[in-house]
Amino acid sequence: MNKISFIVPIYNTDIRKLKKCISSIQRNVGLESYEINLIDDGSKEEHSKEYRRLVNSRIAYFYKSNGGVSSARNMGIEKSNGEYLCFVDSDDLLVGWNDASEELDMAVYDIAFTSEKNVISLPFERTNLTVNTFYSQLVKNSILNAVCGKLFKKSFLEKYHIRFNENLVHGEDLNFLLEIMTNHPKIVYIPKCIYLYIYNAQTTNSRFKKQPFKILNNYIYSFNREFNLVKQYQINIQIFNERINTVVKDLFNLYLVNVLMSDHDSLRIKIIAFLKSLDNPNLAGKVRLFLLKSGNSILIPLAVIRNGYLKIKH
């Protein structure tokens, strides 16, 4: 049985949530060969003390100064002894397991959102995937963007010097996957749900508020990388239109979250300039672009309504 290293970045995570996360790994992986590496990204000392108490023969703890989730995951890669790596966010859960029984560079599993009943079955018709097949779905289905719910062969990452880009605050997972795709991995799809992603829109809003201009620049960077790969793999450009519509929606929400910031107009102008360069957004995308051009007299009430809805929903 291949040894699996579970890499769990932590930053001031509530100890109860972390214990629940760890227990979900232990419960589902069972007696298989594994280790859990907790990477503390500069948490407050009172939290770090609690994390250190969790260490045992299966659980290792590593502390580093704060540098973001990408730097924490990169440390996790360096410290891991497993043949395969699995990234788990500290507020998410493992809900199943199926160890890869063949040689592979990357395994892709089904995942669930918010509830174990809400399983997203991936749209693959066969288990052995070509890079073209995987990438065709990646550009049209944002659920594949995440590194969670996947398994990566460490020696493949080492061979091609693949790491998370620590300069990105948004799109770091997607960028990591694009780096893997450019090196033609052997990909296997395993039709079993192993990961429960606990989505929190308020957390996304908070992240959007911290560095809106950097997030916008990261969106543009990732979009251009994807578009270049679309041309490289000669993927039908119509498929890419779905990604365009997602980008329009995300950047519209990025502005709504920051509509009252002092430099909001500069952000709005830059978003509009980028969105105008995109081809063929759908009707909803065109409406969002129109609203952005209309200004804050319309956008501020929309932002208030959206924020109220999210608070009620979560």
Side-chain angles (χ1 to χ4, degrees), residues 36-266:
I36 300 173
N37 291 330
L38 305 177
I39 314 297
D40 188 344
D41 189 38
S43 297
K44 295 178 180 177
E45 179 58 23
E46 58 263 34
H47 291 293
S48 296
K49 283 182 179 179
E50 292 181 308
Y51 305 151
R52 286 192 287 269
R53 295 191 189 105
L54 300 174
V55 173
N56 58 32
S57 60
R58 292 279 198 181
I59 302 173
Y61 169 85
F62 303 94
Y63 182 88
K64 61 179 290 297
S65 59
N66 182 254
V69 66
S70 291
S71 65
R73 286 172 173 168
N74 285 341
M75 175 180 271
I77 294 172
E78 299 297 331
K79 297 295 185 181
S80 292
N81 298 307
E83 184 179 359
Y84 289 96
L85 310 179
C86 184
F87 298 100
V88 181
D89 288 344
S90 61
D91 51 355
D92 295 340
L93 302 173
L94 212 67
V95 293
W97 190 248
N98 189 326
D99 188 41
S101 58
E102 60 181 290
E103 283 295 311
L104 52 86
D105 299 314
M106 184 172 91
V108 183
Y109 299 85
D110 295 333
I111 66 173
F113 272 81
T114 308
S115 165
E116 289 187 48
K117 295 180 180 179
N118 188 24
V119 175
I120 309 296
S121 297
L122 299 178
F124 298 119
E125 297 178 356
R126 53 188 303 170
T127 55
N128 292 312
L129 306 178
T130 65
V131 170
N132 193 294
T133 298
F134 178 80
Y135 189 63
S136 295
Q137 291 298 328
L138 181 69
V139 298
K140 66 185 289 188
N141 193 337
S142 59
I143 195 173
L144 283 170
N145 287 2
V147 296
C148 298
K150 296 178 177 67
L151 200 62
F152 303 95
K153 191 169 188 177
K154 183 176 179 179
S155 61
F156 181 86
L157 302 182
E158 298 288 348
K159 179 179 180 179
Y160 295 106
H161 310 289
I162 298 171
R163 293 294 186 271
F164 289 90
N165 186 334
E166 297 181 19
N167 293 318
L168 298 179
V169 296
H170 182 85
E172 60 275 12
D173 284 28
L174 175 60
N175 187 74
F176 183 81
L177 293 174
L178 295 181
E179 287 292 324
I180 290 174
M181 292 304 106
T182 59
N183 289 289
H184 306 284
K186 181 179 180 182
I187 310 171
V188 173
Y189 166 54
I190 300 174
K192 178 179 176 63
C193 179
I194 68 163
Y195 196 89
L196 174 59
Y197 177 65
I198 310 296
Y199 177 72
N200 188 325
Q202 294 297 336
T203 300
T204 301
N205 282 357
S206 176
R207 187 165 51 81
F208 273 15
K209 284 182 178 180
K210 287 181 179 178
Q211 303 181 71
F213 286 96
K214 189 166 186 178
I215 287 176
L216 173 58
N217 290 334
N218 289 173
Y219 260 102
I220 295 172
Y221 170 79
S222 296
F223 180 88
N224 289 334
R225 284 208 67 190
E226 284 188 279
F227 186 68
N228 288 334
L229 285 174
V230 164
K231 292 188 289 185
Q232 177 182 332
Y233 290 113
Q234 298 180 328
I235 294 171
N236 186 338
I237 195 64
Q238 296 302 317
I239 294 176
F240 198 60
N241 285 345
E242 296 186 40
R243 175 67 90 208
I244 290 174
N245 295 327
T246 300
V247 169
V248 174
K249 178 182 177 181
D250 288 348
L251 294 185
F252 181 76
N253 288 335
L254 174 65
Y255 183 73
L256 289 186
V257 169
N258 293 283
V259 69
L260 296 178
M261 65 180 279
S262 59
D263 202 17
H264 66 84
D265 213 42
S266 296

